[in-house]
Amino acid sequence: KPPKVGKHTRLEKSKLWHKFGFSVQWNIRDLIRSPIRSIMAVVGVMGCAALLLFGLGLKDSINGVSTWMYGDLNVYESKINLQKSITDGELKNIKNTYKGQWIQESKVQIRYNSISESGALTVLSEGDQIIYENENGQKIVMPKEGIGISYKMAEVIKAKIGDTIEWRIMGSKDWVKSDIKAIYRTPMGQGIAMSEKAYTKIGQKYLETALLTSEKSSNIKKVAGIKSIQDKNQLIDSFNDLLESMQMIVVILIIAAFVLGSVVLYNLGVLSFTERNRELATLKVLGFFSKQIRVLLLQQNIWLTIVGIIGGLPFGFILVRFMLSTMSKETDMIAQITPISWALSIAATFLLSMVVSLFLSMKVKHIDMVS
């Protein structure tokens, strides 16, 4: 069909219009005359940019979890796990031999209103081998009274600071009521934490289950009472193995982004070229060289690509945050996208768009001016 009859816009009647070159004027008129085609091209670029940032952003977030967990929060070098049947003498011997921060770890059931969830309990003695951070990444100390609850657990049971929750150690019949005094954030091991003083103050018996120490595992001898010695690097490797399946999802997303971008942009380009075939043939008849027409087409695609990238990147970031928020109750990840990933998403989308545009612009040579 012949193109619709255009009307002069306010921009064309303004003094600014005459300052534009022919290529800018021609492309603006074409965009105004074919808004649906232009919107489809922008949406295609947005989808490509969003998926690329989504995949790279997930990769950054996954890689950042290991650093956050064992670089920022757990700063110990080795973890000495004790046997359940350890005697007082054996425990005293270990305390005299190795220095660090003693902890008690137990599985607990947490109840608030009508919601009940299972989680982990960590009771801390004096020390600096475990660091807690709030939702804003600021360091906090476990209160001397009451408990701290992990951000994800508080979200699941819909509790906040000041609320009173009930909890009990698995296997125990007695429920304990505690006030929430702090909310901390941790990627794994959602539950509650409290200081040794707060734990004993409510009548509970503090039973050490592990020692966190700055000693290298190679310097620790497995004496009586020690169940196992975990090196920090082993814990990091085990943690990364849990997240390995997600790395495959990232690869699939990146491939899907390129496939989507290529297919959508190519099809839209072919559609656009077919619609403008008569106009391009007219330009050739008027004496425009193929190279000049290709520059016209490339200029418009650059505009649409830039708009699509600007609109797609925020959407990609939202996708990363949404994906991380839908993970299991035991996992809490923060969206972390490095500047390199932002730059790669922009560059890859722009490059892909330009390659498709250059490939399509070669069709200008084959326009049949006679027909």
Side-chain angles (χ1 to χ4, degrees), residues 273-285:
F273 187 85
T274 304
E275 287 183 351
R276 290 185 288 180
N277 194 47
R278 292 188 182 189
E279 299 166 46
L280 300 176
T282 303
L283 290 175
K284 290 195 75 172
V285 170

Side-chain angles (χ1 to χ4, degrees), residues 256-306:
F258 275 103
V259 172
L260 172 73
S262 303
V263 173
V264 172
L265 293 176
Y266 181 79
N267 284 323
L268 288 173
V270 170
L271 175 63
S272 173
F273 187 85
T274 304
E275 287 183 351
R276 290 185 288 180
N277 194 47
R278 292 188 182 189
E279 299 166 46
L280 300 176
T282 303
L283 290 175
K284 290 195 75 172
V285 170
L286 291 173
F288 280 76
F289 294 106
S290 296
K291 185 178 180 181
Q292 292 174 307
I293 299 174
R294 289 175 68 179
V295 170
L296 281 175
L297 297 175
L298 190 61
Q299 187 181 62
Q300 186 178 131
N301 287 331
I302 289 173
W303 294 355
L304 297 175
T305 300
I306 291 173

Side-chain angles (χ1 to χ4, degrees), residues 51-67:
L51 275 182
L52 272 174
L53 189 66
F54 183 32
L56 293 172
L58 273 181
K59 182 176 181 294
D60 290 338
S61 299
I62 292 168
N63 291 339
V65 170
S66 181
T67 304

Side-chain angles (χ1 to χ4, degrees), residues 27-73:
N27 278 315
I28 290 175
R29 280 174 176 161
D30 186 67
L31 291 173
I32 294 172
R33 190 166 50 191
S34 308
I36 296 177
R37 185 184 69 215
S38 303
I39 291 171
M40 288 173 65
V42 170
V43 171
V45 175
M46 283 178 62
C48 179
L51 275 182
L52 272 174
L53 189 66
F54 183 32
L56 293 172
L58 273 181
K59 182 176 181 294
D60 290 338
S61 299
I62 292 168
N63 291 339
V65 170
S66 181
T67 304
W68 182 30
M69 182 79 175
Y70 292 105
D72 299 335
L73 302 182

